[in-house]
Amino acid sequence: QSALTQPPSASGSPGQSVTISCTGTYTDVGAYRYVSWYQQHPGKAPKLIIYEVDKRPSGVPDRFSGSKSGNTASLTVSGLQPEDEADYFCCSHAGSNKLLFGGGTKLTVL
Amino acid sequence: QVQLQESGPGLVQPSQTLSLTCTVSGGSIKNSGYYWSWIRQHPTKGLEWIGYVYFIGRSYYNPSLTSRATISLDTSQQRFSLELTSVTAADTALYYCARSPYYYDNTAYDSWGQGALVTVSS
């Protein structure tokens, strides 16, 4: 199984909104609501920011939101802040006790 | 607050077996509500799910690694382990252990170790 497809990079100015896509197939992203998103700063472990497509763990700002349409999940970061500059990864359940990650997107705050 | 900590050799010779251990503190590894996973990250690349083990000891693996990977649970020591056989340079990566829920989104890794860098080289 191939990794989920994410754009390698995205950017936006402070205060703007940016959306990062995560494209899979009908056997993973399209089949389940078990899609999560992670934020990773350099030298740090990934941090869960979205799960079950659009739910935020406690403590994650509501500037982060998730959605899904068909085989593509999306992460939107609204009101960009300098500390949002990081790598972002999606992850999807892929059936039969299998998980897939995306290749990651480097978000730059201009 | 559960904490995870990886440990193991940082250098492994080609064709040998990579062995890592994840020690869990702040919560019982026998808790039936969680999967205990290994995930790796190649240098400057994305994340790759290796597999996970459930509290009864049953394990599941990435199809691309299933012939070489073994994940086991030691509940008496509050730890779980990864063995990856016949390693090559392509297995050089930062290896994370992490926890995700069993009863809902098993992709929701809410706790991670700090990562253990393993280099495969002679």
Side-chain angles (χ1 to χ4, degrees):
Chain A
Q1 280 180 301
S2 300
L4 304 175
T5 300
Q6 296 182 234
S9 63
S11 63
S13 299
Q16 289 187 331
S17 293
V18 170
T19 296
I20 298 170
S21 62
C22 169
T23 302
T25 70
Y26 68 95
T27 63
D28 39 68
V29 175
Y32 305 97
R33 282 195 61 82
Y34 290 167
V35 177
S36 56
W37 288 91
Y38 296 86
Q39 177 191 63
Q40 186 179 35
H41 286 109
K44 300 291 188 182
K47 173 189 174 184
L48 179 68
I49 56 173
I50 295 287
Y51 68 99
E52 288 185 12
V53 174
D54 56 10
K55 296 180 180 178
R56 281 186 308 277
S58 174
V60 174
D62 60 5
R63 302 185 293 102
F64 294 91
S65 62
S67 62
K68 190 183 82 162
S69 178
N71 298 335
T72 298
S74 298
L75 171 73
T76 297
V77 187
S78 306
L80 271 174
Q81 297 186 4
E83 59 264 33
D84 298 333
E85 184 161 299
D87 291 327
Y88 291 83
F89 297 91
C90 60
C91 182
S92 174
H93 185 73
S96 301
N97 286 293
K98 291 192 294 287
L99 275 66
L100 282 175
F101 279 97
T105 298
K106 182 177 181 60
L107 175 61
T108 300
V109 180
L110 302 171
Chain B
Q1 178 79 356
V2 70
Q3 293 187 321
L4 292 80
Q5 177 68 59
E6 305 89 349
S7 60
L11 181 64
V12 182
Q13 294 198 345
S15 80
Q16 298 302 302
T17 297
L18 178 160
S19 297
L20 292 172
T21 296
C22 181
T23 301
V24 179
S25 59
S28 174
I29 200 169
K30 292 185 287 188
N31 188 322
S32 63
Y34 295 101
Y35 287 110
W36 304 94
S37 296
W38 288 96
I39 295 161
R40 69 182 181 181
Q41 185 167 31
H42 293 98
T44 68
K45 290 187 180 178
L47 299 167
E48 180 180 27
W49 180 73
I50 298 172
Y52 54 44
V53 63
Y54 184 48
F55 86 106
I56 57 174
R58 187 162 186 175
S59 306
Y60 300 90
Y61 304 100
N62 184 320
S64 68
L65 294 170
T66 190
S67 63
R68 298 195 294 128
T70 301
I71 298 175
S72 57
L73 202 62
D74 184 347
T75 56
S76 65
Q77 297 293 320
Q78 278 283 107
R79 65 190 188 192
F80 62 105
S81 302
L82 168 69
E83 287 197 340
L84 190 65
T85 62
S86 305
V87 298
T88 69
D91 294 309
T92 293
L94 185 61
Y95 286 76
Y96 290 104
C97 58
R99 179 188 82 167
S100 67
Y102 176 80
Y103 292 109
Y104 57 102
D105 186 354
N106 66 352
T107 75
Y109 287 98
D110 61 355
S111 296
W112 295 69
Q114 63 185 26
L117 180 61
V118 179
T119 301
V120 178
S121 175
S122 55

